[in-house]
Amino acid sequence: MAQPDGKKIFFENLSGAGKAIAVLTSGGDAQGMNAAVRAVVRMGLYVGAKVYFIHEGYQGMVDGGENIREATWEGVSSMLQVGGTVIGSARCKEFRTHEGRLKAAHNLVQHGITNLCVIGGDGSLTGANLFREEWSGLLTELVEQGVIEADAVQKYSALHIVGMVGSIDNDFCGTDMTIGTDSALHRIIEVVDAIMTTAQSHQRTFVLEVMGRHCGYLALVSALACGADWVLIPEMPPEDGWEEKMCQKLSANRAGMKRLNIIIVAEGAIDRNTKPITTDYVKNLVVKCLGFDTRVTILGHVQRGGTPSAFDRILASRMGVEAVLALLETTANTPACVVSLCGNQSVRLPLMECVQMTQEVQKAMDEKRFEEAVKVRGRSFENNLKTYKLLAHRKPESELPTSNFNVAVLNVGAPAAGMNAAVRSAIRVGISEGHKMLAVNDGFEGFYKGQIKEIKWGDVGGWTGQGGSLLGTKRTLPAKHAEKIAEQMRKHNINALLVIGGFEALECLLQLYEARATYEEFCIPMCMLPATISNNVPGTDLSIGADTALNAIVETCDRIKQSASGTKRRVFIIETMGGYCGYLATVGGLAAGADAAYIYEEPFDIKDLQANVEHLTEKMKTSIQRGLVLRNENSNENYTTDFIYQLYSEEGKGVFDCRKNVLGHMQQGGAPSPFDRNFGTKISAKAMQWISKKLVETFRQGRVFANSEDSCCLLGMRRRALVFQPVVQLKDETDFVHRIPKEQWWLKLRPLMKILAKYKTSYDVSDSGQLEHVERNRPKESDASVAM
């Protein structure tokens, strides 16, 4: 298939020939580690390096022998979807001793290994850095003992280290998300959603304990994702007298017709005097003070298990490739680095800067400087905590500001999972800001028909976990009904508009902006949040709903591939949604381990199809048993899914047989993923705060009047930041015929998918190669953790 030209062609400038790279997983396991191992092995082999597995972590490095084995391309097949780590992980006391590290150095030198890729937590990475610093001294010692030749000191003079953080706790500073965190959130939310149905039946209170001995990220984000009544985390212990406040809140919620209560406790939760708060203590408290039927559920190692989520597979694959690039570019003077995620970008940070900051968090907690601990943990964590407090704890009416502004919220376009979480967030933040919130049913069709009513705090309880659009959504555009919409705006005195939807929502805002010249009613602050499974909205790298759809695609691809296990060789042709946007096919293909993904943005012809069939035939003859080919629904009007299926069936005769599957609307359904719940919740809260600010700025002579470009914006995530962009300025970036942005960041992931599928291709590394420093406090706008 045709390739976009890169600014820097990777395999022409960087070569791994003559280098040996070893990969190990250490400390606690995390889902996605296997995807990282697979990416390191395949990228390493691709550039001509020798790649070794070190089994059982540092213990295997110390013991040597069969624990250090050369890796092959086929050896990492079928491990992308497997949880845990197939090369094993172990805690190793011996490596902490000088003698143990001496043995490890000898074992690495025997295999000519001077490049280490370590996947683990801060302890594992600290150990790797110490090993690197001692390396030359260890080699000198081995020469003195007569174990290695003197020239080996010169030949293997430097040990290069690159780390990737694998930890479900997300407790490492410097990265927005660690490998395994998103999958652990999936396990927690699956359990919470299941518990909520039984709790509702019996009017019960559930106290759930989640992992996080020193970090409350899992507890905090899962509380945000399920709308928990109370959360207890180690970084921010509750104020003295919290017991009474918690019981009052639970009681008030029950009085408001809520049939259940959820309390989430991190395993390391403490009070202000650093005394542990246990689930049993919380349960006994609720029973004693309120008499509620209360149950405790400890999730335990369920959180570590299961299949990695689509997010973790993509994150780990990107980090694995970046780690190999970092090892190839490193010199003797380059400090050990860790590959991190910042916003939507892979970055390299000095390992020890990150470790020191992570240790600072614990020190601040030990010294009871809790506010500082939250700040050092990172802006993403701090933002989560602020958002949770804003949405979970309702202020009494007497304490609310009175703005006298009416703000309407509506959904437009096709439903997307996470829309309801965004609506809930907007309603509650709006009420907290003192606005009267109005809900519009059925998009602009409902708007001009007058389906507008006030919506209260309690009306959106339990909305975060529900798929689809509870407000109702239609594709109707406002231009034809502008007069009736203006009339409804006058009737309900609407002062601002929040539109949550896909490409149609952008078209709606452009039409309303252009109609301002005719209708003064449209001269109000308007904001759009991108929500579509296709992820085809200009001005944002990600849309609400796309992650849920990706997970649906990946889970289905896993099942389809498994259906062929033990049978003859088989290739599956899978059609995904997305209109003309190939995001789902490309990123789903990367996460599912596809051999090819056909999309509109990258034109292909019969020669490309033939080359793909031949490539797959060759792989089938030598190694793999199952092939996976994804096709975006509108990738080509002539090369349909049926055509590709028939072509592969005919050309693969005698080598493999073929099956096809059109995924259809199952990509649009289901409960939203943790990512979509939190992404929707956070960007919606930010949008409402922007609307409040604009309302104050544009209120003159007793009314709101806003007609500037920057009063009609889309809030999107661009690389590392959440940015408000005037919709008028996005027109030049948009292909309106095919309903896609003219430039799309994820196209850079396509060569990565092909490299991991054994194609020779060019790889643009223009974003790679820069070692940055850890920022203690990023600029305010860049709290855009793509994660949560």
Side-chain angles (χ1 to χ4, degrees), residues 282-582:
V282 176
K283 176 198 168 181
N284 294 336
L285 185 70
V286 174
V287 172
K288 183 183 169 188
C289 296
L290 301 172
F292 291 171
D293 185 1
T294 308
R295 298 283 190 274
V296 169
T297 299
I298 296 172
L299 271 64
H301 283 74
V302 164
Q303 297 157 87
R304 279 196 194 281
T307 305
S309 65
F311 183 96
D312 273 330
R313 297 184 199 195
I314 296 154
L315 174 67
S317 298
R318 287 177 72 184
M319 284 187 169
V321 168
E322 186 71 23
V324 173
L325 288 174
L327 284 171
L328 293 181
E329 292 172 3
T330 194
T331 66
N333 301 320
T334 310
C337 78
V338 62
V339 179
S340 298
L341 181 79
C342 180
N344 195 26
Q345 276 196 294
S346 294
V347 294
R348 301 176 197 172
L349 299 170
L351 192 153
M352 289 317 292
E353 282 187 26
C354 297
V355 168
Q356 282 157 12
M357 194 179 281
T358 304
Q359 290 168 349
E360 273 182 47
V361 177
Q362 190 57 50
K363 191 181 175 198
M365 283 157 61
D366 292 341
E367 293 172 3
K368 301 182 183 178
R369 292 180 285 114
F370 298 113
E371 283 78 8
E372 192 178 329
V374 169
K375 273 193 168 22
V376 179
R377 185 65 85 194
R379 192 169 287 281
S380 168
F381 188 91
E382 193 178 5
N383 197 22
N384 281 318
L385 188 59
K386 282 179 183 170
T387 309
Y388 175 77
K389 286 179 177 176
L390 202 58
L391 299 175
H393 303 297
R394 186 183 182 184
K395 291 178 185 172
E397 295 285 339
S398 56
E399 289 180 28
L400 289 174
T402 48
S403 71
N404 296 319
F405 292 125
N406 297 342
V407 181
V409 181
L410 69 157
N411 294 335
V412 172
M419 275 183 163
N420 297 322
V423 171
R424 168 187 176 266
S425 178
I427 300 302
R428 292 196 169 179
V429 172
I431 290 169
S432 297
E433 303 263 320
H435 309 317
K436 179 181 178 182
M437 299 303 295
L438 303 171
V440 182
N441 295 114
D442 297 335
F444 280 101
E445 190 173 306
F447 207 128
Y448 81 79
K449 289 177 180 175
Q451 295 172 14
I452 303 165
K453 63 177 190 298
E454 186 178 357
I455 189 163
K456 302 279 193 180
W457 183 283
D459 296 336
V460 291
W463 279 33
T464 45
Q466 300 207 45
S469 166
L470 293 171
L471 285 184
T473 181
K474 293 278 176 74
R475 295 180 187 270
T476 309
L477 299 179
K480 289 180 184 175
H481 313 284
E483 197 170 321
K484 288 182 180 177
I485 291 168
E487 189 186 313
Q488 291 296 334
M489 284 186 147
R490 278 195 305 277
K491 181 181 173 183
H492 294 277
N493 189 27
I494 292 170
N495 308 116
L497 207 56
L498 179 66
V499 182
I500 301 164
F503 199 88
E504 290 91 350
L506 176 69
E507 291 178 307
C508 290
L509 251 64
L510 282 167
Q511 289 182 1
L512 291 175
Y513 177 81
E514 283 159 12
R516 280 177 168 179
T518 313
Y519 301 99
E520 273 198 7
E521 289 82 1
F522 301 151
C523 295
I524 58 172
M526 292 186 270
C527 186
M528 174 200 161
L529 300 180
T532 166
I533 68 163
S534 304
N535 198 30
N536 65 330
V537 178
T540 186
D541 290 350
L542 293 166
S543 304
I544 299 163
D547 183 71
T548 305
L550 270 180
N551 278 288
I553 291 166
V554 170
E555 283 168 25
T556 309
C557 287
D558 286 351
R559 290 185 181 192
I560 287 170
K561 280 165 76 176
Q562 195 177 38
S563 73
S565 65
T567 66
K568 57 186 178 179
R569 295 185 180 99
R570 184 164 286 169
V571 173
F572 295 96
I573 315 293
I574 311 245
E575 182 182 295
T576 66
M577 279 179 148
Y580 285 94
C581 180

